[in-house]
Amino acid sequence: MNNTTEVTQDMLFQKPVKVLLSVLPCLFFLYVNGVMLFALLSKPLLLESPRYILFGHLLLAESLQLLVSIVLYILAVTMVRMMIFVCILITLLGRITVKLSPLNLAVMSLERYVAICFPLRHANIVTTRMTGVAIALMWTFASFDFFTQLLLYISLESTGFTVLRICHEHPFKLQIYSTVNESITSACFVLVCTVSIYTYIAVMITVKSASSRDRNSSKPQKTMLIHLIQLCLSLTSTLFNMINSVSPWKINPSMAVHIQYVLFLCLIIFPKCLSPLIYGLRDHAFRPVFLYYFTFGLRTTVKTFPKS
């Protein structure tokens, strides 16, 4: 009895510390992403390039996933009771944003593939209109899981939408929900990996053939490698869902809570924080604009940039 009381008191003490350690990095990187988006919007010339349109969409997707993840975490920790319909919408929105980021990175890889392997046709193939179509298709594919799960819940569950309950991470308890979600996630994973690996190999072959003529030919290869690194960071969220769905944990319950918290930080929070920052700081055209607004105009001056 005394051991149970000590564990409970220890968890009560650690809970606000954990929430603080989770929320503060999220707030900082949401601010960073917001500055990046503002920097993009402040330079219309950058938004004329499909490359930066896709980067802006990546920033939006990563920020949404960060926001939804931390909201779900706070709701689970504080055990707030809410209408089940609101809980379902928040959870499914999180699943949409999980799939948006890798899809966006795959499209960015395709854009660089066309720019490097078909430079003369790039302006005709990759237009702002086609970029808008690609973004619409991304949202359509990512939302397929949302509407499927929602229709299944309406058809199979007898619980009313206005019933109050604690919003935890998995409001869908029937096996069919996990089967549908895993199938769609696997299809997304295979599609994104196939596109990314194919474009990277194609770019490597093109760069190798041009290496004897151009000293800067390795730059496109490095860009594609950055996309692959970002893709790996983005797919860690899927890895978290797979690990976290393994139940029951074959260890002490309090230890399982600590492990889940560490996995949440390492596989959800930090990868989503670092992915856009890596790409934004590496881009030579965007970096001066970002640093100018991030340092409130003290770091550097903004120059006029050519189209990429």
Side-chain angles (χ1 to χ4, degrees):
M1 184 68 180
N2 292 333
N3 292 334
T4 304
T5 304
E6 290 177 1
V7 171
T8 303
Q9 291 176 348
D10 185 54
M11 293 181 66
L12 288 175
F13 172 76
Q14 293 177 356
K15 185 179 294 185
V17 176
K18 288 182 177 180
V19 172
L20 190 65
L21 291 176
S22 301
V23 171
L24 287 181
C26 280
L27 293 178
F28 174 73
F29 282 102
L30 281 173
Y31 168 72
V32 171
N33 289 356
V35 173
M36 287 187 176
L37 281 172
F38 180 80
L40 279 175
L41 294 174
S42 66
K43 293 294 172 183
L45 184 61
L46 292 179
L47 292 178
E48 293 178 10
S49 170
R51 179 183 179 183
Y52 292 107
I53 294 175
L54 290 172
F55 177 56
H57 183 255
L58 176 66
L59 286 173
L60 179 63
E62 299 281 18
S63 299
L64 282 175
Q65 186 176 358
L66 265 180
L67 186 61
V68 172
S69 298
I70 203 64
V71 166
L72 285 173
Y73 176 74
I74 292 175
L75 290 176
V77 169
T78 56
M79 305 184 74
V80 175
R81 299 180 67 87
M82 62 172 59
M83 288 190 296
I84 190 171
F85 182 69
V86 177
C87 178
I88 289 173
L89 287 180
I90 297 175
T91 304
L92 291 180
L93 178 61
R95 293 186 178 182
I96 291 177
T97 56
V98 165
K99 296 175 179 64
L100 271 180
S101 296
L103 288 173
N104 196 98
L105 289 170
V107 175
M108 291 175 74
S109 297
L110 280 174
E111 186 273 331
R112 287 293 88 193
Y113 162 74
V114 175
I116 296 162
C117 299
F118 306 97
L120 298 180
R121 301 177 58 188
H122 177 260
N124 295 328
I125 297 175
V126 185
T127 62
T128 53
R129 180 179 178 276
M130 289 302 298
T131 305
V133 172
I135 291 175
L137 290 175
M138 279 186 259
W139 278 92
T140 301
F141 184 85
S143 301
F144 183 73
D145 187 24
F146 174 94
F147 291 109
T148 303
Q149 300 271 22
L150 189 60
L151 290 175
L152 284 174
Y153 186 88
I154 295 173
S155 304
L156 301 177
E157 298 284 353
S158 58
T159 307
F161 285 119
T162 58
V163 174
L164 296 178
R165 58 172 293 177
I166 298 173
C167 186
H168 53 83
E169 190 176 354
H170 301 288
F172 307 103
K173 297 182 179 180
L174 298 180
Q175 180 61 36
I176 189 172
Y177 297 128
S178 300
T179 303
V180 171
N181 182 54
E182 290 174 2
S183 300
I184 297 175
T185 302
S186 300
C188 178
F189 178 84
V190 172
L191 174 64
V192 169
C193 288
T194 302
V195 170
S196 300
I197 294 173
Y198 171 77
T199 53
Y200 182 70
I201 294 174
V203 168
M204 284 183 63
I205 295 173
T206 303
V207 168
K208 187 175 181 180
S209 64
S211 60
S212 60
R213 303 186 302 270
D214 188 0
R215 294 181 180 179
N216 295 324
S217 59
S218 62
K219 183 178 177 181
Q221 185 178 352
K222 293 179 181 178
T223 301
M224 297 299 297
L225 183 60
I226 290 294
H227 286 167
L228 285 178
I229 294 174
Q230 285 182 287
L231 177 63
C232 292
L233 290 174
S234 181
L235 291 176
T236 54
S237 57
T238 304
L239 182 64
F240 171 80
N241 291 331
M242 293 175 62
I243 295 175
N244 200 40
S245 62
V246 177
S247 59
W249 288 79
K250 305 296 184 179
I251 53 178
N252 185 278
S254 61
M255 181 62 66
V257 172
H258 296 316
I259 293 176
Q260 286 178 317
Y261 174 74
V262 173
L263 290 175
F264 175 72
L265 284 181
C266 296
L267 301 181
I268 293 288
I269 299 300
F270 290 122
K272 293 302 173 185
C273 295
L274 295 176
S275 179
L277 192 61
I278 291 173
Y279 188 88
L281 290 179
R282 185 184 176 277
D283 190 276
H284 296 295
F286 177 73
R287 182 172 56 194
V289 186
F290 166 67
L291 291 178
Y292 176 81
Y293 288 106
F294 185 74
T295 59
F296 304 100
L298 300 177
R299 172 74 179 186
T300 183
T301 57
V302 179
K303 302 178 182 179
T304 302
F305 304 100
K307 295 182 182 180
S308 57

